[in-house]
Amino acid sequence: MAGSTLHDGLTPLNEPSVQKSDDAHGYYTLGENIVDPVAPTGPIADRWTTRKFENRLVNPANRRKLDVIIVGTGLAGGAAAATLGEAGYNVKSFCYQDSPRRAHSIAAQGGINAAKNYKEDGDSTFRLFYDTVKGGDYRSRESNVYRLAEVSANIIDQCVAQGVPFARDYGGLLDNRSFGGVQVSRTFYARGQTGQQLLIGAYQAMERQVAAGTVQSFTRHEMLELIVVDDGTGPRARGIIARDMVSGEIETHLADVVVLATGGYGNVFFLSTNAMGSNVTAAWRAHRKGAYMANPCYTQIHPTCIPVSGEHQSKLTLMSESLRNDGRIWVPKKKEDCDKDPRDIPEEDRDYYLERIYPSFGNLVPRDIASRQAKNMCDEGRGVGPMVGDFRRGVYLDFADAIKRLGKDAIEEKYDNLLDMYERITGENPYEVPMRIYPAVHYVMGGLWVDYHLQSNVPGLFVSGEANFSDHGANRLGASALMQGLADGYFVLPNTIREYLADGPFEKIDESHPAVVEAKQNVEDRVAKFLSINGTRSADSYHKELGNIMWEYCGMERTEEGLRKAIDLIRELKADFWSNLKVLGSADTLNQSLEKAGRVADFIELGELMCIDALNRRESCGGHFRGESQTEDGEALRHDDEFAYVAAWEWGGDSLEGGQPVLHKEDLIYTAIEMKQRSYK
Amino acid sequence: MNLTLKIWRQSGPDDKGGIHTYQVSGISQDMSFLEMLDVLNEQLNEKGEEPVAFDSDCREGICGMCSLMINGEAHGPEVTTTCQLHMRSFNDGDTITIEPWRAEPFPVIKDLVVDRSAFDRIIQSGGFVSANTGSAPEANSVPAPRDKAMRAFNVATCIGCGACVAACPNGSASLFVGAKITHLGELPQGQPERWTRVVDMVGQHDHEGFGGCTNIGECAAACPKEIPLDVISQLNKDLRTALANGH
């Protein structure tokens, strides 16, 4: 933080931006600017405390009369279900998996950040806040991020109390490590399975509430529509239409408030580190019902994944970037060495390119930089591993030095399960041969637009965790996804949703309400449509094609020309999908092809919007790199004067019928941190 | 690789079900077992036959959703989950038999998909620490001895896949219950409810129709997370202590 000044949050430090370029002209309509209607003011450190006090309370006796639907059971959804259940609300929880314990938060490996400063190495709430805003390339809302940093310490307390077995030192106290682009040790971990342990903690807390009768758990249920009802006070989210994936029954579930904690949409790229079932449908259905989708193009490409091995691949596997703490990344200096056994390449012929380009951060530069540099090395023809298509897509991550320095046992204790997993997938032993890694889509910072209360622009629809856009700006730091999911679920949502529910219970509605009937009919028609097209191609084949388009043109580097091409290709793909899809089986049993068809249909529409958003944003920030906006030495170049805003997109109808999304801008005004061009050199 | 697959097909819970034989070709050694089934399903879809239903989600061995009996072994020949089993463990020309988990408390939903909600109900009966959000003391206020915390972690890695049950000749879920009893029982936070927890979880386990442990050890051999058999000893020890003290 050298050179930066502490600001109190009382004075704006920047002017609203004015966009001069208009690359996406013709693809969108410009709408009114928006503001966060519940944005807090005052000294940054006091905002959350003040807001918790200002938000109204709900009398315990009234809570059980209030129905809360929570879709998704990952860290954000599971934690919210447990907490709201404990508070006495009547919670209905939904997940598409066979158990809430399987949500994809479980796969997070590395750790969870918290500003505990147990290492006395200079950490603080303000530093975690600062690092997160800076890491997000100044495209997040500072009030939200400050709150995230502020509640981070409570998360660790809560998880330990639940019996989460974090790593401990010999004195029995909690251990920390430094992680992913920060210089303090604030990451708590449970070997390489931190997400699993945190999720099981939340899952157990939630199941405890199931036993207590405050939470009803609907597994193998997929939300297919949001119910929005106007009771005379304006439209409100009042429930969902869900399909029981076992019986095929289309069910109506009504409530006073709906929470989407449905995760991210990285599977729009087909190949990603997300679970097979991770999808955008719940969020996209809400978007089509009026909820704004914010910054959809902000995608995080994770630098340390196992490279693609062939055409058949169904998913990519991440290796925790904690590996970058001890592993050194390199490629051969000479192209002709690329197919040699790496152990035969002498030290002087190796290019430890991150250490060379970024001497102060070295292998610990943020994810987007590490990813893009890996791509650059491979584009230069210095990639390693098998040829995929016409070039090698891989760089070495080498543990030889660390094994020499720390001993094999120490490395084993820290990373054993990761190194085992690598060996299982590739058939190579990483203790002997350097690992090969390549970037893969991992996380999306974009998501449904929410205010400071995590409420979307549709009243009564709250969005938490990865599904919202709020905390990570244009790029997320390592070990911050788990932090945000649990912050939202345990501490934020329960304190903001009460302000909304204090006005409830809302007018009683039942399944005969016209808005409910219509929502259900739409779902039934759509299911029938998928089964009746009777074309020749599987949903999976469309998904793969969409993924290829997105990776090629809306992946690590985006250009005006490429994005225009992608939009055309996606529109063609969409038209073909709706005329040539083939889904076998029936609607009234478990039908995985049918489930897939619905998800792919929504991914196609989302992909189009992502490309439009990326096309409009003619700047490079965080995970969004526009070829037209870089410095002379190829670093990302932001344009704060034009793009320091959140792009919140309103559904404007199907593009095949002439519809265009409507762009609403929310200016980002900083009062505690000054925007600076990022430098990790 | 070319393979002959003998796969259990069952249209729904009430269908009798039976083995169907399929041929697949063009399988590479680097594919995972489930990617091999993806190839089969794509071929079936092209031929107009309904694809085989099977569960999978994370496909990186941690969510516990995948669940196949492969040639009579839960998750197949390696110590891993089905999704992390790769075709290099098989040979060209092999015949592979694929069935769902077999256990009365895990009824078949369709083809290779079973209902494992009994595990959720066992957790509901006591597999937690009662710590409401907001009530937690400062995390470092109660140290946990490192060796105990390590043991807790090692058994907390259970992914709830049910392989232990599928592998057990008696359909017992003792390894699953023992893992949770040991995880929470090794930590200071788990002590207040330790004795009621074991009684309630074992009661629910029996109520669901899982069999008793007969010390065969197939569960630990099949467990993809290598949960050791001694968690069942821990389970029995804790149960004995609890019952002796009137819980």
Side-chain angles (χ1 to χ4, degrees), chain A residues 86 116 118 157 163 203-204 207 220 276 315 424-425 590, chain B residues 35 42 54-55 57 60 88 110 120 124 133 138-139 180 183:
Chain A
E86 288 159 7
K116 282 283 199 187
Y118 281 161
D157 299 342
Y203 157 74
Q204 289 172 182
E207 293 295 348
R220 293 195 193 271
M276 300 304 285
K315 79 153 276 160
R424 191 166 294 291
I425 293 171
L590 179 71
Chain B
E35 285 166 352
E42 192 67 23
F54 62 89
D55 269 331
D57 204 27
E60 51 188 274
R88 63 181 80 93
K110 187 177 183 177
D120 289 337
Q124 285 158 25
T133 303
E138 210 295 320
K180 190 49 63 193
H183 160 205

PDB file of all heavy atoms in Angstrom, chain A residues 86 116 118 157 163 203-204 207 220 276 315 424-425 590, chain B residues 35 42 54-55 57 60 88 110 120 124 133 138-139 180 183:
ATOM      1  N   GLU A  86     -32.310 -21.012  11.646  1.00  0.00           N
ATOM      2  CA  GLU A  86     -32.039 -20.795  13.073  1.00  0.00           C
ATOM      3  C   GLU A  86     -32.820 -19.603  13.604  1.00  0.00           C
ATOM      4  O   GLU A  86     -33.299 -19.603  14.742  1.00  0.00           O
ATOM      5  CB  GLU A  86     -30.537 -20.547  13.304  1.00  0.00           C
ATOM      6  CG  GLU A  86     -29.670 -21.789  13.125  1.00  0.00           C
ATOM      7  CD  GLU A  86     -28.202 -21.448  12.855  1.00  0.00           C
ATOM      8  OE1 GLU A  86     -27.824 -20.257  12.938  1.00  0.00           O
ATOM      9  OE2 GLU A  86     -27.434 -22.381  12.545  1.00  0.00           O
ATOM     10  N   LYS A 116      -7.743 -11.729  10.107  1.00  0.00           N
ATOM     11  CA  LYS A 116      -7.539 -11.998  11.534  1.00  0.00           C
ATOM     12  C   LYS A 116      -6.206 -11.428  12.030  1.00  0.00           C
ATOM     13  O   LYS A 116      -6.023 -11.252  13.229  1.00  0.00           O
ATOM     14  CB  LYS A 116      -7.529 -13.512  11.767  1.00  0.00           C
ATOM     15  CG  LYS A 116      -8.907 -14.170  11.783  1.00  0.00           C
ATOM     16  CD  LYS A 116      -9.603 -13.917  13.101  1.00  0.00           C
ATOM     17  CE  LYS A 116     -10.740 -14.903  13.330  1.00  0.00           C
ATOM     18  NZ  LYS A 116     -11.507 -14.525  14.550  1.00  0.00           N
ATOM     19  N   TYR A 118      -3.528 -12.979  12.478  1.00  0.00           N
ATOM     20  CA  TYR A 118      -2.907 -13.896  13.447  1.00  0.00           C
ATOM     21  C   TYR A 118      -1.396 -13.946  13.293  1.00  0.00           C
ATOM     22  O   TYR A 118      -0.685 -14.354  14.204  1.00  0.00           O
ATOM     23  CB  TYR A 118      -3.453 -15.318  13.250  1.00  0.00           C
ATOM     24  CG  TYR A 118      -4.814 -15.577  13.841  1.00  0.00           C
ATOM     25  CD1 TYR A 118      -5.573 -16.673  13.409  1.00  0.00           C
ATOM     26  CD2 TYR A 118      -5.345 -14.774  14.848  1.00  0.00           C
ATOM     27  CE1 TYR A 118      -6.812 -16.951  13.948  1.00  0.00           C
ATOM     28  CE2 TYR A 118      -6.590 -15.036  15.390  1.00  0.00           C
ATOM     29  CZ  TYR A 118      -7.324 -16.135  14.941  1.00  0.00           C
ATOM     30  OH  TYR A 118      -8.544 -16.407  15.468  1.00  0.00           O
ATOM     31  N   ASP A 157     -14.491 -17.774  12.898  1.00  0.00           N
ATOM     32  CA  ASP A 157     -15.038 -18.135  14.215  1.00  0.00           C
ATOM     33  C   ASP A 157     -16.196 -19.109  14.060  1.00  0.00           C
ATOM     34  O   ASP A 157     -16.275 -20.134  14.736  1.00  0.00           O
ATOM     35  CB  ASP A 157     -15.536 -16.882  14.957  1.00  0.00           C
ATOM     36  CG  ASP A 157     -14.423 -15.871  15.218  1.00  0.00           C
ATOM     37  OD1 ASP A 157     -13.242 -16.256  15.150  1.00  0.00           O
ATOM     38  OD2 ASP A 157     -14.746 -14.693  15.472  1.00  0.00           O
ATOM     39  N   GLY A 163     -17.008 -27.095  13.875  1.00  0.00           N
ATOM     40  CA  GLY A 163     -16.168 -28.284  13.763  1.00  0.00           C
ATOM     41  C   GLY A 163     -15.455 -28.420  12.433  1.00  0.00           C
ATOM     42  O   GLY A 163     -15.053 -29.515  12.048  1.00  0.00           O
ATOM     43  N   TYR A 203     -23.554 -27.403   5.372  1.00  0.00           N
ATOM     44  CA  TYR A 203     -24.531 -28.467   5.111  1.00  0.00           C
ATOM     45  C   TYR A 203     -25.042 -29.065   6.416  1.00  0.00           C
ATOM     46  O   TYR A 203     -26.246 -29.255   6.614  1.00  0.00           O
ATOM     47  CB  TYR A 203     -23.862 -29.529   4.229  1.00  0.00           C
ATOM     48  CG  TYR A 203     -24.458 -30.914   4.281  1.00  0.00           C
ATOM     49  CD1 TYR A 203     -25.677 -31.198   3.657  1.00  0.00           C
ATOM     50  CD2 TYR A 203     -23.797 -31.957   4.924  1.00  0.00           C
ATOM     51  CE1 TYR A 203     -26.210 -32.485   3.691  1.00  0.00           C
ATOM     52  CE2 TYR A 203     -24.315 -33.238   4.958  1.00  0.00           C
ATOM     53  CZ  TYR A 203     -25.526 -33.500   4.350  1.00  0.00           C
ATOM     54  OH  TYR A 203     -26.051 -34.769   4.385  1.00  0.00           O
ATOM     55  N   GLN A 204     -24.110 -29.327   7.338  1.00  0.00           N
ATOM     56  CA  GLN A 204     -24.531 -29.912   8.606  1.00  0.00           C
ATOM     57  C   GLN A 204     -25.395 -28.934   9.395  1.00  0.00           C
ATOM     58  O   GLN A 204     -26.389 -29.338  10.010  1.00  0.00           O
ATOM     59  CB  GLN A 204     -23.297 -30.333   9.416  1.00  0.00           C
ATOM     60  CG  GLN A 204     -22.621 -31.550   8.799  1.00  0.00           C
ATOM     61  CD  GLN A 204     -21.293 -31.933   9.424  1.00  0.00           C
ATOM     62  OE1 GLN A 204     -20.677 -32.875   8.970  1.00  0.00           O
ATOM     63  NE2 GLN A 204     -20.845 -31.213  10.438  1.00  0.00           N
ATOM     64  N   GLU A 207     -28.736 -29.121   7.721  1.00  0.00           N
ATOM     65  CA  GLU A 207     -29.471 -30.364   8.020  1.00  0.00           C
ATOM     66  C   GLU A 207     -29.985 -30.350   9.464  1.00  0.00           C
ATOM     67  O   GLU A 207     -31.025 -30.930   9.771  1.00  0.00           O
ATOM     68  CB  GLU A 207     -28.594 -31.592   7.775  1.00  0.00           C
ATOM     69  CG  GLU A 207     -28.240 -31.826   6.309  1.00  0.00           C
ATOM     70  CD  GLU A 207     -29.432 -32.160   5.407  1.00  0.00           C
ATOM     71  OE1 GLU A 207     -30.544 -32.438   5.926  1.00  0.00           O
ATOM     72  OE2 GLU A 207     -29.274 -32.118   4.169  1.00  0.00           O
ATOM     73  N   ARG A 220     -32.770 -32.760  -5.936  1.00  0.00           N
ATOM     74  CA  ARG A 220     -33.129 -33.129  -7.308  1.00  0.00           C
ATOM     75  C   ARG A 220     -34.314 -32.291  -7.799  1.00  0.00           C
ATOM     76  O   ARG A 220     -35.259 -32.800  -8.381  1.00  0.00           O
ATOM     77  CB  ARG A 220     -33.438 -34.619  -7.424  1.00  0.00           C
ATOM     78  CG  ARG A 220     -32.222 -35.529  -7.194  1.00  0.00           C
ATOM     79  CD  ARG A 220     -32.507 -36.941  -7.670  1.00  0.00           C
ATOM     80  NE  ARG A 220     -31.538 -37.922  -7.239  1.00  0.00           N
ATOM     81  CZ  ARG A 220     -30.417 -38.238  -7.909  1.00  0.00           C
ATOM     82  NH1 ARG A 220     -30.131 -37.645  -9.033  1.00  0.00           N
ATOM     83  NH2 ARG A 220     -29.595 -39.161  -7.446  1.00  0.00           N
ATOM     84  N   MET A 276     -20.500 -30.476 -13.695  1.00  0.00           N
ATOM     85  CA  MET A 276     -21.257 -30.731 -14.919  1.00  0.00           C
ATOM     86  C   MET A 276     -22.620 -30.048 -14.885  1.00  0.00           C
ATOM     87  O   MET A 276     -23.124 -29.586 -15.885  1.00  0.00           O
ATOM     88  CB  MET A 276     -21.462 -32.234 -15.110  1.00  0.00           C
ATOM     89  CG  MET A 276     -20.194 -33.028 -15.231  1.00  0.00           C
ATOM     90  SD  MET A 276     -19.129 -32.443 -16.544  1.00  0.00           S
ATOM     91  CE  MET A 276     -20.015 -33.070 -17.974  1.00  0.00           C
ATOM     92  N   LYS A 315     -14.717 -31.898 -18.761  1.00  0.00           N
ATOM     93  CA  LYS A 315     -14.496 -30.780 -17.839  1.00  0.00           C
ATOM     94  C   LYS A 315     -13.005 -30.617 -17.589  1.00  0.00           C
ATOM     95  O   LYS A 315     -12.215 -31.494 -17.924  1.00  0.00           O
ATOM     96  CB  LYS A 315     -15.247 -30.982 -16.533  1.00  0.00           C
ATOM     97  CG  LYS A 315     -14.578 -31.925 -15.579  1.00  0.00           C
ATOM     98  CD  LYS A 315     -14.952 -31.589 -14.149  1.00  0.00           C
ATOM     99  CE  LYS A 315     -14.105 -30.504 -13.566  1.00  0.00           C
ATOM    100  NZ  LYS A 315     -14.644 -29.830 -12.422  1.00  0.00           N
ATOM    101  N   ARG A 424      -3.376 -38.988 -11.148  1.00  0.00           N
ATOM    102  CA  ARG A 424      -4.489 -39.832 -11.579  1.00  0.00           C
ATOM    103  C   ARG A 424      -5.002 -39.415 -12.959  1.00  0.00           C
ATOM    104  O   ARG A 424      -5.336 -40.235 -13.803  1.00  0.00           O
ATOM    105  CB  ARG A 424      -5.607 -39.734 -10.551  1.00  0.00           C
ATOM    106  CG  ARG A 424      -6.693 -40.752 -10.733  1.00  0.00           C
ATOM    107  CD  ARG A 424      -7.581 -40.831  -9.517  1.00  0.00           C
ATOM    108  NE  ARG A 424      -6.897 -41.338  -8.339  1.00  0.00           N
ATOM    109  CZ  ARG A 424      -6.473 -42.584  -8.177  1.00  0.00           C
ATOM    110  NH1 ARG A 424      -6.644 -43.457  -9.134  1.00  0.00           N
ATOM    111  NH2 ARG A 424      -5.872 -42.954  -7.072  1.00  0.00           N
ATOM    112  N   ILE A 425      -5.071 -38.113 -13.175  1.00  0.00           N
ATOM    113  CA  ILE A 425      -5.645 -37.623 -14.427  1.00  0.00           C
ATOM    114  C   ILE A 425      -4.657 -37.737 -15.582  1.00  0.00           C
ATOM    115  O   ILE A 425      -5.024 -38.108 -16.687  1.00  0.00           O
ATOM    116  CB  ILE A 425      -6.140 -36.176 -14.243  1.00  0.00           C
ATOM    117  CG1 ILE A 425      -7.339 -36.187 -13.279  1.00  0.00           C
ATOM    118  CG2 ILE A 425      -6.529 -35.539 -15.568  1.00  0.00           C
ATOM    119  CD1 ILE A 425      -7.803 -34.835 -12.827  1.00  0.00           C
ATOM    120  N   LEU A 590     -36.981 -39.125 -14.744  1.00  0.00           N
ATOM    121  CA  LEU A 590     -35.635 -38.556 -14.762  1.00  0.00           C
ATOM    122  C   LEU A 590     -35.178 -38.522 -16.214  1.00  0.00           C
ATOM    123  O   LEU A 590     -35.183 -39.536 -16.897  1.00  0.00           O
ATOM    124  CB  LEU A 590     -34.706 -39.449 -13.933  1.00  0.00           C
ATOM    125  CG  LEU A 590     -33.242 -39.027 -13.844  1.00  0.00           C
ATOM    126  CD1 LEU A 590     -33.090 -37.788 -12.990  1.00  0.00           C
ATOM    127  CD2 LEU A 590     -32.391 -40.147 -13.261  1.00  0.00           C
TER     128      LEU A 590
ATOM    129  N   GLU B  35     -16.492 -40.054 -19.077  1.00  0.00           N
ATOM    130  CA  GLU B  35     -16.396 -39.530 -20.449  1.00  0.00           C
ATOM    131  C   GLU B  35     -16.627 -40.657 -21.449  1.00  0.00           C
ATOM    132  O   GLU B  35     -17.211 -40.448 -22.515  1.00  0.00           O
ATOM    133  CB  GLU B  35     -15.044 -38.843 -20.663  1.00  0.00           C
ATOM    134  CG  GLU B  35     -14.992 -37.481 -19.971  1.00  0.00           C
ATOM    135  CD  GLU B  35     -13.604 -36.861 -19.844  1.00  0.00           C
ATOM    136  OE1 GLU B  35     -12.610 -37.540 -20.163  1.00  0.00           O
ATOM    137  OE2 GLU B  35     -13.524 -35.705 -19.407  1.00  0.00           O
ATOM    138  N   GLU B  42     -23.857 -40.294 -26.388  1.00  0.00           N
ATOM    139  CA  GLU B  42     -23.956 -39.526 -27.630  1.00  0.00           C
ATOM    140  C   GLU B  42     -24.308 -40.482 -28.783  1.00  0.00           C
ATOM    141  O   GLU B  42     -25.142 -40.176 -29.623  1.00  0.00           O
ATOM    142  CB  GLU B  42     -22.628 -38.789 -27.877  1.00  0.00           C
ATOM    143  CG  GLU B  42     -22.649 -37.726 -28.964  1.00  0.00           C
ATOM    144  CD  GLU B  42     -23.507 -36.491 -28.643  1.00  0.00           C
ATOM    145  OE1 GLU B  42     -23.775 -36.178 -27.463  1.00  0.00           O
ATOM    146  OE2 GLU B  42     -23.920 -35.838 -29.612  1.00  0.00           O
ATOM    147  N   PHE B  54     -26.990 -41.669 -15.413  1.00  0.00           N
ATOM    148  CA  PHE B  54     -26.043 -41.902 -14.307  1.00  0.00           C
ATOM    149  C   PHE B  54     -25.762 -40.567 -13.641  1.00  0.00           C
ATOM    150  O   PHE B  54     -25.889 -39.508 -14.259  1.00  0.00           O
ATOM    151  CB  PHE B  54     -24.745 -42.565 -14.805  1.00  0.00           C
ATOM    152  CG  PHE B  54     -23.947 -41.743 -15.787  1.00  0.00           C
ATOM    153  CD1 PHE B  54     -22.986 -40.844 -15.357  1.00  0.00           C
ATOM    154  CD2 PHE B  54     -24.167 -41.878 -17.160  1.00  0.00           C
ATOM    155  CE1 PHE B  54     -22.254 -40.089 -16.267  1.00  0.00           C
ATOM    156  CE2 PHE B  54     -23.435 -41.124 -18.079  1.00  0.00           C
ATOM    157  CZ  PHE B  54     -22.478 -40.224 -17.632  1.00  0.00           C
ATOM    158  N   ASP B  55     -25.391 -40.627 -12.382  1.00  0.00           N
ATOM    159  CA  ASP B  55     -25.118 -39.402 -11.630  1.00  0.00           C
ATOM    160  C   ASP B  55     -23.657 -38.995 -11.751  1.00  0.00           C
ATOM    161  O   ASP B  55     -22.767 -39.839 -11.690  1.00  0.00           O
ATOM    162  CB  ASP B  55     -25.406 -39.624 -10.139  1.00  0.00           C
ATOM    163  CG  ASP B  55     -26.838 -39.271  -9.762  1.00  0.00           C
ATOM    164  OD1 ASP B  55     -27.415 -38.389 -10.418  1.00  0.00           O
ATOM    165  OD2 ASP B  55     -27.365 -39.882  -8.812  1.00  0.00           O
ATOM    166  N   ASP B  57     -21.292 -35.012 -11.011  1.00  0.00           N
ATOM    167  CA  ASP B  57     -21.381 -33.548 -11.003  1.00  0.00           C
ATOM    168  C   ASP B  57     -20.011 -32.900 -11.094  1.00  0.00           C
ATOM    169  O   ASP B  57     -19.645 -32.415 -12.152  1.00  0.00           O
ATOM    170  CB  ASP B  57     -22.169 -33.043  -9.798  1.00  0.00           C
ATOM    171  CG  ASP B  57     -22.774 -31.661 -10.053  1.00  0.00           C
ATOM    172  OD1 ASP B  57     -23.025 -31.345 -11.227  1.00  0.00           O
ATOM    173  OD2 ASP B  57     -23.002 -30.894  -9.100  1.00  0.00           O
ATOM    174  N   GLU B  60     -14.382 -34.223 -10.356  1.00  0.00           N
ATOM    175  CA  GLU B  60     -13.001 -34.145  -9.888  1.00  0.00           C
ATOM    176  C   GLU B  60     -12.830 -34.852  -8.551  1.00  0.00           C
ATOM    177  O   GLU B  60     -11.898 -34.574  -7.811  1.00  0.00           O
ATOM    178  CB  GLU B  60     -12.488 -32.704  -9.867  1.00  0.00           C
ATOM    179  CG  GLU B  60     -13.355 -31.711  -9.152  1.00  0.00           C
ATOM    180  CD  GLU B  60     -12.869 -30.268  -9.352  1.00  0.00           C
ATOM    181  OE1 GLU B  60     -12.002 -29.859  -8.583  1.00  0.00           O
ATOM    182  OE2 GLU B  60     -13.346 -29.578 -10.274  1.00  0.00           O
ATOM    183  N   ARG B  88      -7.279 -45.835 -18.832  1.00  0.00           N
ATOM    184  CA  ARG B  88      -6.000 -46.542 -18.873  1.00  0.00           C
ATOM    185  C   ARG B  88      -5.967 -47.696 -17.873  1.00  0.00           C
ATOM    186  O   ARG B  88      -5.071 -48.521 -17.907  1.00  0.00           O
ATOM    187  CB  ARG B  88      -4.820 -45.578 -18.659  1.00  0.00           C
ATOM    188  CG  ARG B  88      -4.761 -44.870 -17.334  1.00  0.00           C
ATOM    189  CD  ARG B  88      -3.546 -43.924 -17.274  1.00  0.00           C
ATOM    190  NE  ARG B  88      -3.805 -42.663 -17.958  1.00  0.00           N
ATOM    191  CZ  ARG B  88      -4.262 -41.560 -17.351  1.00  0.00           C
ATOM    192  NH1 ARG B  88      -4.496 -41.557 -16.054  1.00  0.00           N
ATOM    193  NH2 ARG B  88      -4.493 -40.455 -18.040  1.00  0.00           N
ATOM    194  N   LYS B 110     -33.473 -44.629 -11.536  1.00  0.00           N
ATOM    195  CA  LYS B 110     -33.479 -44.949 -12.960  1.00  0.00           C
ATOM    196  C   LYS B 110     -32.085 -45.425 -13.367  1.00  0.00           C
ATOM    197  O   LYS B 110     -31.090 -44.828 -12.937  1.00  0.00           O
ATOM    198  CB  LYS B 110     -33.855 -43.704 -13.772  1.00  0.00           C
ATOM    199  CG  LYS B 110     -34.051 -43.986 -15.258  1.00  0.00           C
ATOM    200  CD  LYS B 110     -34.484 -42.714 -15.977  1.00  0.00           C
ATOM    201  CE  LYS B 110     -34.747 -43.026 -17.446  1.00  0.00           C
ATOM    202  NZ  LYS B 110     -35.244 -41.853 -18.164  1.00  0.00           N
ATOM    203  N   ASP B 120     -28.491 -38.134   4.171  1.00  0.00           N
ATOM    204  CA  ASP B 120     -28.864 -36.811   4.695  1.00  0.00           C
ATOM    205  C   ASP B 120     -29.628 -36.971   6.015  1.00  0.00           C
ATOM    206  O   ASP B 120     -29.428 -36.202   6.955  1.00  0.00           O
ATOM    207  CB  ASP B 120     -29.741 -36.053   3.691  1.00  0.00           C
ATOM    208  CG  ASP B 120     -28.967 -35.585   2.462  1.00  0.00           C
ATOM    209  OD1 ASP B 120     -27.734 -35.447   2.565  1.00  0.00           O
ATOM    210  OD2 ASP B 120     -29.588 -35.356   1.409  1.00  0.00           O
ATOM    211  N   GLN B 124     -28.950 -35.469   9.654  1.00  0.00           N
ATOM    212  CA  GLN B 124     -29.978 -34.705  10.388  1.00  0.00           C
ATOM    213  C   GLN B 124     -30.148 -35.202  11.824  1.00  0.00           C
ATOM    214  O   GLN B 124     -30.485 -34.448  12.720  1.00  0.00           O
ATOM    215  CB  GLN B 124     -31.327 -34.818   9.670  1.00  0.00           C
ATOM    216  CG  GLN B 124     -31.436 -33.985   8.414  1.00  0.00           C
ATOM    217  CD  GLN B 124     -32.527 -34.507   7.471  1.00  0.00           C
ATOM    218  OE1 GLN B 124     -33.481 -35.162   7.893  1.00  0.00           O
ATOM    219  NE2 GLN B 124     -32.370 -34.228   6.194  1.00  0.00           N
ATOM    220  N   THR B 133     -25.408 -19.411  13.988  1.00  0.00           N
ATOM    221  CA  THR B 133     -24.609 -18.330  13.407  1.00  0.00           C
ATOM    222  C   THR B 133     -24.599 -17.136  14.343  1.00  0.00           C
ATOM    223  O   THR B 133     -25.654 -16.718  14.836  1.00  0.00           O
ATOM    224  CB  THR B 133     -25.190 -17.902  12.057  1.00  0.00           C
ATOM    225  OG1 THR B 133     -25.237 -19.045  11.216  1.00  0.00           O
ATOM    226  CG2 THR B 133     -24.337 -16.820  11.409  1.00  0.00           C
ATOM    227  N   GLU B 138     -14.259 -16.445  19.643  1.00  0.00           N
ATOM    228  CA  GLU B 138     -13.064 -16.193  18.818  1.00  0.00           C
ATOM    229  C   GLU B 138     -12.391 -17.531  18.484  1.00  0.00           C
ATOM    230  O   GLU B 138     -12.226 -18.389  19.344  1.00  0.00           O
ATOM    231  CB  GLU B 138     -12.114 -15.298  19.617  1.00  0.00           C
ATOM    232  CG  GLU B 138     -11.235 -14.368  18.802  1.00  0.00           C
ATOM    233  CD  GLU B 138     -10.219 -15.067  17.917  1.00  0.00           C
ATOM    234  OE1 GLU B 138      -9.622 -16.068  18.351  1.00  0.00           O
ATOM    235  OE2 GLU B 138     -10.035 -14.597  16.781  1.00  0.00           O
ATOM    236  N   ALA B 139     -12.042 -17.677  17.206  1.00  0.00           N
ATOM    237  CA  ALA B 139     -11.621 -18.995  16.714  1.00  0.00           C
ATOM    238  C   ALA B 139     -10.445 -19.584  17.481  1.00  0.00           C
ATOM    239  O   ALA B 139     -10.392 -20.791  17.701  1.00  0.00           O
ATOM    240  CB  ALA B 139     -11.282 -18.888  15.230  1.00  0.00           C
ATOM    241  N   LYS B 180     -18.073 -39.583  10.584  1.00  0.00           N
ATOM    242  CA  LYS B 180     -18.634 -38.345  11.162  1.00  0.00           C
ATOM    243  C   LYS B 180     -18.461 -38.317  12.680  1.00  0.00           C
ATOM    244  O   LYS B 180     -18.112 -37.282  13.268  1.00  0.00           O
ATOM    245  CB  LYS B 180     -20.118 -38.226  10.765  1.00  0.00           C
ATOM    246  CG  LYS B 180     -20.773 -36.898  11.070  1.00  0.00           C
ATOM    247  CD  LYS B 180     -19.966 -35.692  10.599  1.00  0.00           C
ATOM    248  CE  LYS B 180     -19.783 -35.647   9.088  1.00  0.00           C
ATOM    249  NZ  LYS B 180     -18.740 -34.642   8.720  1.00  0.00           N
ATOM    250  N   HIS B 183     -14.800 -37.513  13.206  1.00  0.00           N
ATOM    251  CA  HIS B 183     -14.497 -36.123  12.849  1.00  0.00           C
ATOM    252  C   HIS B 183     -14.913 -35.189  13.992  1.00  0.00           C
ATOM    253  O   HIS B 183     -14.102 -34.425  14.507  1.00  0.00           O
ATOM    254  CB  HIS B 183     -15.224 -35.781  11.533  1.00  0.00           C
ATOM    255  CG  HIS B 183     -15.412 -34.315  11.265  1.00  0.00           C
ATOM    256  ND1 HIS B 183     -16.420 -33.829  10.463  1.00  0.00           N
ATOM    257  CD2 HIS B 183     -14.740 -33.216  11.694  1.00  0.00           C
ATOM    258  CE1 HIS B 183     -16.346 -32.513  10.401  1.00  0.00           C
ATOM    259  NE2 HIS B 183     -15.350 -32.116  11.143  1.00  0.00           N
TER     260      HIS B 183
END
